[in-house]
Structure formats: C-alpha cells, structure tokens
Amino acid sequence: DVKVTQSSRYLVKRTGEKVFLECVQDMDHENMFWYRQDPGLGLRLIYFSYDVKMKEKGDIPEGYSVSREKKERFSLILESASTNQTSMYLCASGRAHEQYFGPGTRLTVT
Amino acid sequence: QKEVEQNSGPLSVPEGAIASLNCTYSDRGSQSFFWYRQYSGKSPELIMFIYSNGDKEDGRFTAQLNKASQYVSLLIRDSQPSDSATYLCAAALNTGFQKLVFGTGTRLLVSP
C-alpha cells in the first residue's frame, strides 16, 4: 500500500512565524503535491514537484515556498504565517494521474 | 479559470438505492477524470478514474464520461451507510502532466 505521512496532524502557530510542514512518501513516486482545503473552496494546489530539486507553482503559491532535497520528502514552508493561511494542508504523491494523499495537517495561525 | 463543478448537496438516498453524483468541467482539453471519496476528517482516497467516453465499472461503482457534453458522473449501486462521504471530482488538464483540478465535492448521505 502507498503510504504518505505528514509530520503533524494539528499545528498552532503565531502570526509572523516561519512554519515547516513535512511530507514523506515510501512508494518512490516522482511527483509530489501540496494542497490546501477550505470549506466551500475545495482542494487548491499550492506547489508540486516532479523531480528532486524541481518545483512548479500551483494555483495559489503566494506566501508559500517548497523544498525537495530527496525524492521521498517534500516540504511546504510558510515564510511568515498569516491568519488567512489557517487551513487543512494535504500532501499527495503519485505517478501518472493517480494521486495518494497523506492524512493532512490542520494548521491554525493565531 | 478552468473549473470543475459539482453540486454541494447533500444528496440523500436510502440504503440499497442508486446514488448518482454528477460533475461538469469547463476545459475541453481535459483528458482524464477522477473520483475521490473523502470521509469527514479524513483525506481523499481515489475510487476510480476514466479516460474514455462511456462507462467504466468497478464493483458497485460506475464512472460515466461524456466529453461532448463535458460531463462526468459516478453511480453507486446498492448504496450503503458506509458510502456516506463527500465525493470529489477531478480533471487532469491536457497541459499538465499530472495537475488536477478538483471540484468542491458533493456530500452523500445514505440512510439505513
């Protein structure tokens, strides 16, 4: 079975803090993704990566950056957290068009 | 803005009935379509994908695609209370190797 893990299920941070969200997959997938999910807005793609050290902007990259130093690990960085970044963050990995999601991190920025 | 649209629901069906979930998409270049199920508080899980016009069956699930009408549907036969969840439709754009556009989901409630 595909396994995608995320470093935290729940996280509370203060406005202005730098926040790191980690994602690890164990299926040797080339492609990894970061989404946020908000009520009424659905899943929105923040960034994705199709290879180590490669990254592409998704639909809502502003305020975020990513890092992929190893194939199995994809990190999402909030450079300076703001309250409008309070959300559920979901990591996914996959090949072709199939994507497998991690359990999610519910981030609250106060 | 390329969109995938779904009725938010809830769609309520009795146990044993057929649930029909629908999705439309705006980008005619979309090549493949996916249905994900998401239980409350959980992450989405892939149920089915379909690339070609027509029907694709997998157990109690049937995906239907009509590219001319830009319409995708998911039928769930013999619905069970355990099918109660939010169902997300997603389209893969022809310009992106794997970039998916998700709809906001339809909530399905199956009553015993």
Side-chain angles (χ1 to χ4, degrees):
Chain A
D1 282 349
V2 175
K3 189 168 184 182
V4 180
T5 58
Q6 295 184 229
S7 50
S8 304
R9 291 301 307 272
Y10 301 94
L11 207 53
V12 180
K13 295 292 182 180
R14 294 189 181 273
T15 301
E17 280 193 82
K18 192 168 186 176
V19 182
F20 294 86
L21 302 182
E22 303 284 335
C23 176
V24 178
Q25 52 98 0
D26 67 356
M27 287 302 293
D28 201 36
H29 288 155
E30 293 84 10
N31 308 312
M32 297 188 74
F33 307 81
W34 275 106
Y35 294 89
R36 63 178 283 178
Q37 188 173 31
D38 301 286
L41 297 177
L43 276 165
R44 293 180 291 166
L45 182 63
I46 304 171
Y47 268 97
F48 62 99
S49 169
Y50 52 87
D51 201 353
V52 175
K53 297 192 184 295
M54 304 301 288
K55 60 185 179 183
E56 295 283 344
K57 292 180 180 179
D59 299 317
I60 52 164
E62 297 78 19
Y64 303 94
S65 61
V66 291
S67 172
R68 193 166 181 200
E69 297 295 320
K70 293 184 177 181
K71 190 174 186 179
E72 67 272 18
R73 188 180 298 269
F74 192 35
S75 301
L76 179 69
I77 303 154
L78 285 66
E79 298 291 343
S80 177
S82 63
T83 54
N84 63 12
Q85 292 179 309
T86 291
S87 187
M88 171 66 82
Y89 289 87
L90 289 160
C91 174
S93 76
R95 289 196 185 94
H97 290 306
E98 298 182 31
Q99 294 187 20
Y100 300 91
F101 286 84
T105 296
R106 184 165 294 282
L107 173 67
T108 302
V109 182
T110 62
Chain B
Q1 179 73 8
K2 298 177 175 56
E3 294 181 345
V4 173
E5 296 191 2
Q6 298 179 256
N7 188 317
S8 61
L11 173 66
S12 295
V13 300
E15 184 174 358
I18 296 175
S20 178
L21 303 159
N22 305 313
C23 167
T24 58
Y25 60 96
S26 62
D27 186 353
R28 283 197 170 274
S30 298
Q31 296 296 319
S32 47
F33 304 86
F34 303 82
W35 284 99
Y36 285 80
R37 177 176 62 200
Q38 186 173 24
Y39 291 113
S40 181
K42 302 292 186 182
S43 56
E45 54 180 329
L46 181 65
I47 300 174
M48 291 190 69
F49 58 87
I50 185 167
Y51 300 150
S52 303
N53 274 330
D55 295 0
K56 180 181 179 183
E57 188 173 318
D58 184 0
R60 295 187 297 113
F61 299 95
T62 299
Q64 299 176 318
L65 174 60
N66 184 326
K67 289 188 176 180
S69 300
Q70 296 178 243
Y71 182 90
V72 192
S73 64
L74 179 70
L75 302 179
I76 306 175
R77 289 182 300 281
D78 189 24
S79 296
Q80 300 297 310
S82 58
D83 294 325
S84 298
T86 296
Y87 290 80
L88 306 176
C89 174
L93 303 180
N94 62 336
T95 56
F97 70 102
Q98 207 190 97
K99 185 177 174 182
L100 298 181
V101 177
F102 283 86
T104 54
T106 298
R107 186 173 169 218
L108 173 67
L109 296 175
V110 181
S111 54

